[in-house]
Amino acid sequence: MKFTCLSKGGGFHFPPCHMLSVSGFRILLDCPLDLSSLAIFSPVPIALEAHESLDTDSVVRKKQKIEKTLDANDLVCAEPWYKTVKSLHLWDASFIDVILISSPMGMLGLPFLTRTKDFSAKIYVTEAAARIGQLMMEDLVSMHMELRQFYGPEDSSFLQWMRWEGLEVLPPELKKIALGTDCEELGAWMPLYSAVDVKDCMRKVQTLKYAEEACYNGTLVIKAFSSGLEIGTCNWTINGPKRNIAYISSSIFVSTHAMDFNFLGLQGNDLIIFSDFSTLDTTENMENDNTYCDPVPSSNASDDLYNLEEIAASLLKDDESMEEMEKLAFICTCAFDSVRAGGSVLVPIDRLGIVLCLLEQMSLLLESSSLKVPVYIISSVAEELLAFTNIIPEWLCKQRQEKLFSGEPLFAHVKLIKERKIHVFPAVHSVELLTNWQEPCVVFCPHWSLRLGPVVHLLRYWCSDPNSLLILESGDDANLALLPFKPMAMKVLQCSFLSGISLQKVQPLLKALQPKLLLFPKDLRCKIQISEANTIIHYSENETLCMPSSKESTEIDIATDLASQFHWKTLKQETVTRLDGELFMDQGKHRLLSGFRQADSKQHRPLLHWGSPDLKRLLTELSKMGITGTLKKVMDSAGSKNAAGIIDIDDPEKALIDVRETGTVIITADENLASHISKAIDIVLDGI
């Protein structure tokens, strides 16, 4: 088995990406886009200087600006390209056999692969994540097409800004995003796929329910288990003939909207790939914590059961979800204060679950007050996405599922839309929106990068209003994101939301899962202590690790009629038997079934012999077949006779049987004679 971390990602919107080779198959784990890199582009043309040709005077002027404070004129004023995983373009897509998608964000880069020549990989993703991911890709294409209207079609497939002389004059902050630290990321930039590419991509996807088995090529059994991060997000198990693997992506134990993290479904796997990098940005530090997680199983099974129940109870405490609800309540309070002051609120958060919960809390807060403030949702896929979220109870948490049985909508937006307290529009320039528009208001719209979609127009409209509020998700460079809209009088509230497993719960989780081998990010070593008892391998980006199989032998299921034919013989220290059947690989297991037999199957020669033939007995058997010869003993180096010797055959044809301690050699030009000699050896030697 080989494992390569292609990218550790960059938070919720840019999940990690890995390549795994197991049982001869190459598996890609997630295929995201780094949409935070859109920050180097200007959302609309802002200065004539950006359209200047790269003549000598222009280059000199730009080089003089590099040392100055970054301003909006330094952004790349061109149709945006999109950054994929930096190392993925170096792999031949036709060699990928399986792609496992853990979240809707993890599939945004899929069309770049599926549109390549000779792509034939099987893509597995949960039903809910597939639908949400498709809508996200369609919305991205729609927003890009709207932005393209400002720039017009490109005359060249290789943009002017991507030429080396253009990259050289970029300010250091932008140059680092465009090229990477070691200038190795330029090849990761690509023009965005089309709506046709998205449809073609989705035709190649196989959707799964949670815990539903998918068998690839009869060898790998693949299952998805809920991760709790978002609706439809999952972790994966891959069971093969030589190893059982669990892949843990960013997960949340108790969610306010999605099904909780089913970590118990990941038990029983000898290898765990831990791929939750969300704690890298946290300020928590557990270096002083003396508690270790030892993955070696306990000797007492009853104690293990008790400890497992205790650990599970501690992991499933809803303290984190309560903190999340408190954050949402604080955001709603800040929004209410802005609206009461006469300003509007802009929410470009793309986390579906957070948006749905914010809609509920914000609408309740506004309804309880005397303020009549409209709530707008503006997106090309908003209507379809909101409708979809109310017909997927099996993908939601228990509290949401209980609403279904009580006759209530799964989410409050259904009722609020009917009561016209929430208004949904496909575009910011739609006639219906312009007709119904009133301020102050609360607007939910894409895109969190502040470079695409309705947020660009609304942010330009409100950025000079000190009473208005922009709600951003922290994690990205807010100064760079807001650069085109400065000077900003508008208030900005940055919020952080749960993006994965907290540091305090990593060790109890691993203790509950009890893996024999753990692949753990090297970057997390300084943040958490885990017992290293020859069970942990640390990995880093662009490093390929090779691991031996965990099973020394392969298990095989044998048909009952074949098992009744066992005739055991002792070969040295092993007992062996011979069976005649057909070998299959099915559901990750080898199976031996009764196959076609010839009529003379009982007369089949042995396929395996052991020991050295008795020369005198062999000569006797040959004489019974009418073959005559003489026995010659061979002297060893010490001058004594041993079991080795030569039988010199002269009738019916010339032949020689040379018996040594290391092997027996038959030399003859007559095939019929060779066959008779071989049969005689079958009689003399033990075989099966």
Side-chain angles (χ1 to χ4, degrees):
M1 173 186 155
K2 294 183 179 180
F3 175 81
T4 305
C5 175
L6 302 181
S7 168
K8 62 184 180 182
F12 175 86
H13 296 101
F14 185 37
C17 178
H18 310 284
M19 190 70 75
L20 178 67
S21 296
V22 58
S23 298
F25 302 110
R26 185 170 289 172
I27 302 172
L28 178 66
L29 298 166
D30 287 314
C31 186
L33 280 182
D34 183 8
L35 294 177
S36 64
S37 59
L38 289 174
I40 70 172
F41 294 98
S42 171
V44 291
I46 48 181
L48 291 175
E49 183 181 355
H51 295 287
E52 292 178 351
S53 62
L54 289 172
D55 54 23
T56 305
D57 293 339
S58 175
V59 171
V60 170
R61 285 195 298 273
K62 288 189 175 183
K63 282 186 176 180
Q64 291 173 348
K65 290 171 58 179
I66 287 178
E67 302 301 325
K68 296 182 180 179
T69 304
L70 201 65
D71 60 42
N73 289 321
D74 294 318
L75 298 175
V76 177
C77 196
E79 178 184 346
W81 276 29
Y82 294 78
K83 195 175 182 183
T84 61
V85 175
K86 62 183 179 183
S87 302
L88 187 56
H89 67 283
L90 302 176
W91 295 72
D92 190 337
S94 63
F95 291 163
I96 300 174
D97 299 295
V98 179
I99 300 178
L100 302 182
I101 301 299
S102 305
S103 67
M105 296 72 66
M107 67 185 298
L108 295 184
L110 265 184
F112 288 120
L113 287 181
T114 56
R115 70 182 184 183
T116 58
K117 184 180 179 182
D118 299 327
F119 175 87
S120 59
K122 193 76 172 180
I123 305 170
Y124 295 101
V125 60
T126 65
E127 292 177 359
R131 187 65 188 129
I132 295 171
Q134 180 182 3
L135 292 173
M136 290 177 67
M137 290 188 287
E138 291 174 353
D139 198 29
L140 185 63
V141 171
S142 174
M143 290 185 290
H144 179 85
M145 293 305 295
E146 179 187 351
L147 181 63
R148 193 176 183 184
Q149 295 176 7
F150 289 102
Y151 295 105
E154 282 293 335
D155 297 329
S156 171
S157 60
F158 191 71
L159 303 185
Q160 190 75 4
W161 71 271
M162 292 191 71
R163 299 183 185 278
W164 190 252
E165 56 267 28
L167 294 168
E168 277 293 303
V169 299
L170 285 177
E173 298 95 324
L174 305 186
K175 189 175 180 180
K176 184 177 180 181
I177 296 175
L179 298 176
T181 306
D182 300 317
C183 299
E184 80 282 10
E185 299 182 18
L186 184 59
W189 290 91
M190 295 185 184
L192 187 63
Y193 41 76
S194 65
V196 175
D197 292 329
V198 174
K199 290 182 180 179
D200 181 62
C201 171
M202 297 309 299
R203 281 195 291 266
K204 298 175 182 178
V205 167
Q206 178 175 335
T207 59
L208 300 173
K209 299 182 183 297
Y210 285 144
E212 178 184 355
E213 284 190 358
C215 187
Y216 177 77
N217 201 36
T219 306
L220 302 178
V221 178
I222 299 169
K223 291 183 185 180
F225 294 93
S226 60
S227 68
L229 182 67
E230 261 295 351
I231 298 173
T233 60
C234 69
N235 296 309
W236 294 97
T237 60
I238 308 167
N239 296 336
K242 292 290 186 179
R243 189 180 289 280
N244 296 332
I245 303 167
Y247 175 70
I248 300 180
S249 60
S250 297
S251 306
I252 297 176
F253 286 95
V254 180
S255 173
T256 57
H257 53 282
M259 185 174 287
D260 295 341
F261 178 14
N262 182 10
F263 63 93
L264 295 178
L266 306 180
Q267 285 185 305
N269 295 283
D270 45 68
L271 169 64
I272 286 182
I273 303 173
F274 190 89
S275 182
D276 190 338
F277 288 84
S278 61
T279 54
L280 283 177
D281 299 326
T282 186
T283 57
E284 297 176 289
N285 195 320
M286 298 183 67
E287 290 184 1
N288 297 324
D289 188 354
N290 294 321
T291 304
Y292 286 84
C293 173
D294 188 354
V296 179
S298 172
S299 58
N300 191 319
S302 61
D303 288 347
D304 283 348
L305 181 61
Y306 175 76
N307 291 336
L308 178 60
E309 293 176 352
E310 198 174 56
I311 292 171
S314 66
L315 291 174
L316 294 175
K317 285 183 179 178
D318 60 352
D319 49 349
E320 291 180 342
S321 61
M322 292 297 294
E323 290 179 11
E324 203 77 349
M325 296 304 293
E326 290 175 2
K327 289 180 186 177
L328 297 180
F330 176 74
I331 293 172
C332 292
T333 301
C334 294
F336 181 77
D337 292 340
S338 293
V339 169
R340 190 166 50 185
S344 294
V345 180
L346 184 58
V347 189
I349 294 175
D350 279 9
R351 294 201 191 198
L352 179 58
I354 296 297
V355 169
L356 294 175
C357 293
L358 269 176
L359 280 172
E360 288 181 338
Q361 292 208 22
M362 202 168 287
S363 299
L364 288 173
L365 184 61
L366 292 173
E367 189 176 1
S368 63
S369 68
S370 58
L371 294 174
K372 301 298 180 182
V373 178
V375 177
Y376 299 111
I377 303 175
I378 308 173
S379 169
S380 62
V381 298
E383 185 174 356
E384 191 172 356
L385 187 58
L386 291 175
F388 176 73
T389 57
N390 210 50
I391 58 171
I392 50 172
E394 68 272 26
W395 302 94
L396 304 180
C397 61
K398 291 182 180 179
Q399 292 82 356
R400 300 285 175 181
Q401 292 179 1
E402 289 172 357
K403 290 189 174 184
L404 178 70
F405 299 109
S406 62
E408 300 178 51
L410 298 176
F411 293 96
H413 63 260
V414 176
K415 178 183 176 183
L416 295 171
I417 291 174
K418 287 181 179 179
E419 296 175 350
R420 300 192 62 80
K421 294 177 181 177
I422 293 180
H423 309 271
V424 182
F425 299 100
V428 73
H429 50 74
S430 64
V431 177
E432 294 84 357
L433 175 60
L434 297 176
T435 304
N436 292 280
W437 183 263
Q438 68 179 68
E439 297 182 40
C441 60
V442 178
V443 179
F444 290 81
C445 65
H447 185 265
W448 57 268
S449 67
L450 307 187
R451 294 296 181 268
L452 301 169
V455 68
V456 175
H457 309 287
L458 295 172
L459 197 51
R460 283 193 174 279
Y461 178 51
W462 285 325
C463 64
S464 58
D465 182 5
N467 293 322
S468 292
L469 174 67
L470 172 66
I471 300 173
L472 285 179
E473 184 173 353
S474 58
D476 296 317
D477 188 345
N479 291 328
L480 182 58
L482 294 170
L483 195 61
F485 311 100
K486 291 183 177 180
M488 284 272 297
M490 189 179 191
K491 296 189 293 290
V492 178
L493 174 62
Q494 281 191 277
C495 311
S496 62
F497 302 102
L498 280 175
S499 297
I501 304 171
S502 62
L503 286 175
Q504 294 91 339
K505 292 190 175 183
V506 173
Q507 297 183 67
L509 171 64
L510 296 177
K511 189 171 184 180
L513 298 182
Q514 297 285 344
K516 296 177 183 176
L517 180 64
L518 173 66
L519 280 178
F520 199 73
K522 190 176 292 184
D523 294 341
L524 292 179
R525 292 180 68 178
C526 62
K527 291 183 175 270
I528 187 169
Q529 297 175 343
I530 300 177
S531 173
E532 300 199 25
N534 299 320
T535 58
I536 300 175
I537 298 178
H538 293 94
Y539 67 86
S540 55
E541 277 189 341
N542 298 317
E543 176 186 5
T544 299
L545 302 175
C546 298
M547 283 150 287
S549 298
S550 61
K551 300 177 183 177
E552 296 180 357
S553 59
T554 300
E555 296 179 358
I556 183 170
D557 292 341
I558 302 176
T560 305
D561 56 340
L562 287 177
S564 63
Q565 301 173 18
F566 286 170
H567 298 287
W568 296 102
K569 290 189 177 182
T570 302
L571 172 59
K572 294 184 179 180
Q573 296 180 351
E574 301 290 338
T575 54
V576 295
T577 187
R578 177 179 176 178
L579 293 175
D580 186 6
E582 295 185 44
L583 184 64
F584 294 90
M585 175 68 80
D586 180 43
Q587 297 290 317
K589 293 183 179 181
H590 289 93
R591 303 182 188 276
L592 186 64
L593 306 178
S594 300
F596 174 75
R597 294 185 183 182
Q598 297 179 356
D600 60 345
S601 60
K602 294 183 179 179
Q603 301 176 5
H604 282 177
R605 291 181 51 242
L607 300 178
L608 177 67
H609 299 89
W610 58 92
S612 296
D614 185 309
L615 294 179
K616 291 182 179 180
R617 186 182 172 194
L618 177 58
L619 196 58
T620 301
E621 293 295 334
L622 289 172
S623 64
K624 291 179 182 179
M625 299 178 183
I627 302 170
T628 60
T630 57
L631 175 61
K632 298 178 181 179
K633 287 290 184 179
V634 177
M635 306 292 291
D636 62 14
S637 57
S640 62
K641 294 181 180 181
N642 54 27
I646 295 175
I647 297 179
D648 191 356
I649 298 173
D650 51 23
D651 186 53
E653 297 289 343
K654 289 288 185 181
L656 186 72
I657 304 173
D658 188 357
V659 179
R660 305 278 177 165
E661 290 183 353
T662 56
T664 300
V665 179
I666 303 171
I667 303 173
T668 181
D670 189 314
E671 291 185 5
N672 187 46
L673 179 57
S675 177
H676 282 85
I677 295 172
S678 181
K679 289 179 181 178
I681 292 178
D682 286 346
I683 297 172
V684 172
L685 287 178
D686 288 330
I688 59 170

